[in-house]
Amino acid sequence: MTLEKWQAVRTALPETGARFADLVAGVRHGHTTSLGEWTIAETAAHVGMIALMYTSMIRGDGGPLPLPGLAEPIDTARVDTISRMNALALELYPERDPVRLAERLRADIAEVLLVSADSDPEKPVWWLGGSRVPVAGVLAHLVNEMLLHGLDIARAVRRPWPIPAAHEALFLELFLVGMARNDMGRLLDDATPSPRRIAVEFRSAYTKPAMLALQHGELRSEEPDGSADVRLTFDPAVLVPMMFGRISRARAVLSGGVRIGGPRPWLLPAFLRTVRMP
């Protein structure tokens, strides 16, 4: 990981956090639905809970979590069970006033930056389901949470919410590839594994070329060597929202934000059935 990427994610976090906090604080009716059954206030509380938990997880000192009731659900999480963990987290993080949620988020982002300031950005820390994510990837994940849920809230109140491609690129490069390089833990254990190896190469103007190889439910990061079955050329501001269901696959492809190539592009659906986001 380059110093430039580490500085980029440390800049993106407070910048995105300030935008998200301003958006939440300006909401008049926090009970308005924004995502599925979640209200705007619940969506903001979900993001606030993540920021609070990361203040402790990044320390990695074995101390108690700020919300101790989440310790076991975090350890046993799978992609298919994260929604249940999130429901419990909302019960344990009861703040629903938009202004106070914004204030708490700003404070917790400042704490995340403080506790990670002297960290090795590549140091793996425990994440959901026994996976291990580099410190820089944890910050990138929080940036992505605010970008996506900011979009949910902005759509609900009909406000613009630009998603910088360079910021979403950090999620792919530092979080997703970083986790695959370290340990995916049990996150994909409930997925139907593909019996054959499927390698997908990722290329964009904002990321270093990367390849993720899937076999028997295990995902690994490998150096691109020309052996990929599928090659994705993409705009991170399209691909990442597509992965999380904010943009349809058809729209992503038709817009040119995601272009699919390679010798065996028909293997991509099987790859995405296993490597999927909650």
Side-chain angles (χ1 to χ4, degrees):
M1 182 184 307
T2 65
L3 178 60
E4 180 183 14
K5 290 291 183 181
W6 178 228
Q7 292 174 337
V9 75
R10 291 186 63 80
T11 299
L13 181 57
E15 179 181 315
T16 307
R19 280 209 299 141
F20 186 88
D22 287 345
L23 176 66
V24 171
V27 169
R28 292 185 178 182
H29 304 292
H31 57 272
T32 301
T33 301
S34 67
L35 175 66
E37 297 181 353
W38 281 4
T39 65
I40 289 175
E42 288 170 332
T43 301
H46 166 74
V47 173
M49 175 276 298
I50 293 172
L52 174 62
M53 295 296 285
Y54 282 177
T55 64
S56 174
M57 292 169 73
I58 289 174
R59 287 191 183 95
D61 57 5
L65 295 174
L67 301 176
L70 288 182
E72 192 273 339
I74 285 174
D75 185 58
T76 60
R78 312 284 194 276
V79 167
D80 291 339
T81 66
I82 287 176
S83 60
R84 294 200 293 271
M85 184 194 74
N86 287 337
L88 173 61
L90 284 178
E91 295 178 11
L92 298 173
Y93 192 92
E95 182 60 71
R96 296 294 182 269
D97 178 81
V99 173
R100 288 197 291 271
L101 282 165
E103 291 173 350
R104 290 189 64 174
L105 179 63
R106 291 179 193 274
D108 286 330
I109 287 175
E111 183 68 10
V112 167
L113 290 169
L114 179 64
V115 300
S116 64
D118 296 324
S119 298
D120 177 351
E122 296 193 47
K123 174 189 173 184
V125 298
W126 291 110
W127 201 67
L128 305 185
S131 61
R132 303 190 77 190
V133 178
V135 169
V138 175
L139 270 61
H141 179 266
L142 182 52
V143 170
N144 181 59
E145 285 289 312
M146 292 188 290
L147 288 175
L148 293 182
H149 289 303
L151 181 62
D152 297 331
I153 295 171
R155 284 174 171 174
V157 297
R158 300 188 178 184
R159 295 181 188 174
W161 183 256
I163 295 182
H167 288 182
E168 283 293 37
L170 296 169
F171 171 81
L172 292 166
E173 197 163 24
L174 303 183
F175 176 78
L176 182 58
V177 175
M179 184 193 298
R181 186 180 296 120
N182 283 281
D183 191 346
M184 295 292 295
R186 295 175 290 277
L187 285 177
L188 302 181
D189 282 5
D190 291 339
T192 301
S194 171
R196 65 155 292 166
R197 180 180 184 274
I198 303 175
V200 179
E201 187 174 311
F202 294 79
R203 287 184 176 271
S204 82
Y206 300 89
T207 55
K208 178 184 176 182
M211 187 168 74
L212 296 179
L214 174 69
Q215 188 168 21
H216 301 305
E218 295 185 3
L219 186 69
R220 298 185 306 276
S221 172
E222 300 180 0
E223 289 298 319
D225 58 3
S227 67
D229 300 293
V230 185
R231 295 189 184 93
L232 292 182
T233 305
F234 59 92
D235 175 352
V238 175
L239 178 63
V240 178
M242 184 202 82
M243 293 168 66
F244 285 88
R246 269 58 174 195
I247 297 176
S248 71
R249 293 181 184 179
R251 177 184 167 192
V253 172
L254 291 173
S255 70
V258 176
R259 299 193 299 278
I260 305 170
R264 290 168 288 278
W266 59 85
L267 293 177
L268 182 60
F271 181 89
L272 293 176
R273 278 196 296 272
T274 299
V275 184
R276 62 194 190 279
M277 300 298 119

